[in-house]
Every structure is written in C-alpha cells, then in structure tokens.
Amino acid sequence: YMQLSTFGTDAFLRYQLNRKISQLKKDDKLIESEGLDSLTLSELQQACHARGLKATSRSKQFLKERLREWLDLSLNQNLPGSILILANAFKI
C-alpha cells in the first residue's frame, strides 16, 4: 500500500510513513502549481497510486477528480497526511 514496506520496527515504520507524507505534501504543491490538466494519464495513475488511491482501470477524468479531492483536503483544508491516508484506505 502506497509503496511502503510493512516490515520493520515501529520506529522505522513511523519514520518511513512521515517521510512519505512529507514527500507527498511537496508533490501536492508541485501538482497544484502546474495544474492537474498538465498531467498525462500515466502521471495521474502514478500520483494516485502513490497516495493509496485506486488508479487502475479508471478514466483520466475519474483520476483527476480523486486527485483534486486529495489536493483540496491536503492543501486547502490542511488535513494531516495521516488522516488522508487512513480515509483513503477505507475508500478503496
């Protein structure tokens, strides 16, 4: 899930998760500055997959909407990354 290893000590897993959330936040800002329309289908799939969003067998419009929701919650609503990840885990 989200390209994270599930093996290791609690401290390592916590570090790995915090690092991933930080990377996603930076990527969110970059995507917002460039705009969702500039992303190809492959880039949209990769961005959704990195965030734990279901990305296979989906249309480009569907992926844009899911990523737009994520960006709104992440950047505009300032929801913590851990809450976003947990919410999406249940939305799969």
Side-chain angles (χ1 to χ4, degrees):
Y1 182 70
M2 295 183 56
Q3 304 163 339
L4 294 172
S5 171
T6 57
F7 298 104
T9 64
D10 286 347
F12 173 73
L13 295 174
R14 217 177 350 267
Y15 165 77
Q16 191 178 14
L17 189 57
N18 286 332
R19 189 168 155 239
K20 180 70 171 184
I21 291 170
S22 177
Q23 289 172 342
L24 289 176
K25 191 65 116 171
K26 288 177 188 176
D27 196 39
D28 290 348
K29 291 175 184 177
L30 183 63
I31 291 171
E32 185 181 53
S33 70
E34 291 181 359
L36 280 173
D37 292 329
S38 69
L39 299 177
T40 66
L41 178 59
S42 177
E43 291 170 333
L44 280 168
Q45 289 172 331
Q46 289 173 359
C48 287
H49 182 69
R51 288 157 181 78
L53 305 172
K54 190 169 184 177
T56 55
S57 304
R58 301 295 182 161
S59 70
K60 189 172 182 177
Q61 186 60 36
F62 178 84
L63 296 175
K64 279 185 185 180
E65 288 301 318
R66 291 297 307 272
L67 197 52
R68 187 172 287 120
E69 288 174 9
W70 173 282
L71 292 174
D72 179 52
L73 293 172
S74 171
L75 301 174
N76 300 331
Q77 305 297 326
N78 255 349
L79 222 59
S82 55
I83 300 295
L84 283 168
I85 291 167
L86 286 172
N88 283 307
F90 292 111
K91 205 173 189 179
I92 294 175

